[in-house]
Amino acid sequence: MAEVVQYHLEQMVGELEDLERRKLFSKPELKSIVKKRTKFEYGLRRRRVSRADFLRYIEYEINVDALRRKRKHRTAAKDAGGKRTLSDYSIGRRIVSIFERGLTRHPDDVALWLQYIAFVRSSDHSEDGEASTRALSKIYAAAITKHPYEARLWIMAAAHELDASSNGAAARLLLQRALRVSPKDRALWTEYFRLELLLAEKIKARRRVLGIDGQAGEEDEGEDEGEEEESGDGGEKRKRKEENEDAAGLISLPALDEEKEFDQRVEDQAMAKYAAVQAAELSAEQRAALATPGNAYLQGAVAVIVFEQAIKAIPGDWEFRREFASVLARFPDTQAVRQRVLDSIAADFAGSAQARSFLCVAHLAAVSASSPQLVDALREAVGNYGRALRDADTPEMWAEYVRFLAQWRDVSAGEAGEASLRAYFAALLKRAAAQVAEDGAARLSEAVALELADGGLLAEATQRFPASEALWCKRLRAAIAAGDSVERLCEAQALPAAAHARGVWDLWLAWAERSGMAPARVQAKYLAAFARTAQLTSEHAGLKAHLQIRFVDWAWALPASATLHDISHTGEEEEDEEDEEDEGVPCGSAAAGPNVEAFRRACQSVQRHAFPTPGFYRRCLELEPDARHKTTLHEFACRVNESDTRPWLAYLQFLVDERRLDSAAAVFWRASKALPTDDAREAFDALYQELLRKK
């Protein structure tokens, strides 16, 4: 171990001397760097080394290099010649070496591969100061070999070939090989589709620059013939040299075992068909068509083939096809390809309300928000929805239509000059509400009621969907905004049907707190809430804790003159008596300060009439000002779940802060007895010792 560490340290000598010679680091700083690196190197020689150990070393080296760059920039004017020296790229090389060592230990860690690639792409660690395309190609090849099913690596490698090497053929080949390995991967298909569109768009742009858009192609053919007639060994040598230079930076990916499952006969048949097409006699008109911008490739024929193969591989997902339409929206002159995508959605997903809704508004993607054609396009969309509703008069289709109207009404509300458009969609929404009300059984859904926010529809919807929290909240907010009393609505309908709904409880209790009720009566409402939610399962423990915390926060904020009572039950007679006693002290009065007495009464009420949660005790401990009462609360908090170390540690922290070390030792002994396993006790002991060391 020591020999290997010493070897790595010796490799730093030249770099350290250069840093000292250029006065970028002082001798004490260099000694500190060596000491830190030695510690990291010994850490990497352990038997078990995690990814985090390598990343900590890399992070340190990146910080050192950032400091070096900053100091070099500060002294750049004094640096004679400004030439690059060893220290300018040695740290980057070391980081690359650490990454490679880490990947040797953890080759299956995809995140580490991605971090390595990101560093090499963004760093300047080569001697000539340029990012190494060849190094990246090798990294991509190694990463894909280790993780052939990771679509991100294939896509990044293809993007590297296209951007860094300008090699569209290599990028296409990589994505084709990726699809052989993972034919069901959506991201690979959409990226392959985008690549073909991008390559076609580049050819179109090149033709526009050369000014050959409208020509029949004779000049292109003449140029090709002239190139073929270029004679001599010089031309051949130049050609071979260019091919070798192009291939130097390509990703040389070996054959993968996963590709053996691909049927080679399919590829052979495709190549045979291609050869037959090449050998066929083409007429002059066909040749002219291929030489002009109207040829099939430039019109997206290859992209259509990719799309058809994609939907064969993934046939039943309309959202997958919508992704292709989203890709097409970024490319001009792709109407034919886009229509093919939309036709496939219409043919295969006629029964999907979401798919039909997408088709109704698909044409809006080509219209900008500031375009004069927007109004006509929106009217066309409304007409499309009308036809779709006549074909499929279902709650799902109505929900899509109403959602579309509400969305554009809200968008229009943000535009100063769109008052007429806003009124248009508001009128359509009003008409839609009337149409849904005509046949609510066939058209009403939760989504429709939420979007329309019609009083009658909301009442009917809450009866049909009584467990919907969103519907009850919408209905209660509407009633509160209208100034109506929601007490009977909540207690008789909403809470029995949706006792699990946190939003309903918040609206109900907030209304009770602000309605002018006496504090004791609001207290009774809270206790009734505890009783009702006690029947819920453990998955609603967060709601129970929320109500308990809300109760003590409300009591803490009461006026100083307000008092709470020890209520043993929540009968109407007792509430009436309390109302008489507390008449003149409404809940809504402004609080002059925290009401500690009411807060403590609230804590006692929760302990007596509910099952206190750990969150409730944490909140009480945050508010309680007295140390004696805090001790009692800590004791109760530890009893909720004695195997949970967090309340015990909080109790110990409190006792240590209070200098009550004997009591802390007794509590630690009790906690150790309560913990179920030896491992838990050892971990708890380590945390307690660390707590004592901090003091």
Side-chain angles (χ1 to χ4, degrees), residues 668 683-695:
F668 173 75
F684 180 68
D685 179 67
L687 292 172
Y688 178 56
Q689 297 303 324
E690 182 179 355
L691 187 151
L692 292 176
R693 283 195 297 272
K694 290 181 180 179
K695 291 299 178 182

Side-chain angles (χ1 to χ4, degrees), residues 286-356:
Q286 290 173 325
R287 291 181 182 277
L290 289 174
T292 61
N295 71 65
Y297 180 76
L298 296 182
Q299 289 180 345
V302 176
V304 170
I305 294 173
V306 172
F307 171 72
E308 290 176 348
Q309 296 300 318
I311 62 177
K312 285 181 182 179
I314 308 174
D317 191 345
W318 86 268
E319 292 185 354
F320 175 51
R321 304 191 191 189
R322 183 175 61 180
E323 293 177 14
F324 287 93
S326 300
V327 172
L328 286 166
R330 305 172 188 173
F331 293 91
D333 304 327
T334 56
Q335 290 81 1
V337 184
R338 181 178 178 81
Q339 192 58 46
R340 174 68 185 90
V341 173
L342 298 180
D343 290 344
S344 74
I345 295 176
D348 297 340
F349 300 96
S352 171
Q354 292 180 332
R356 299 195 68 159

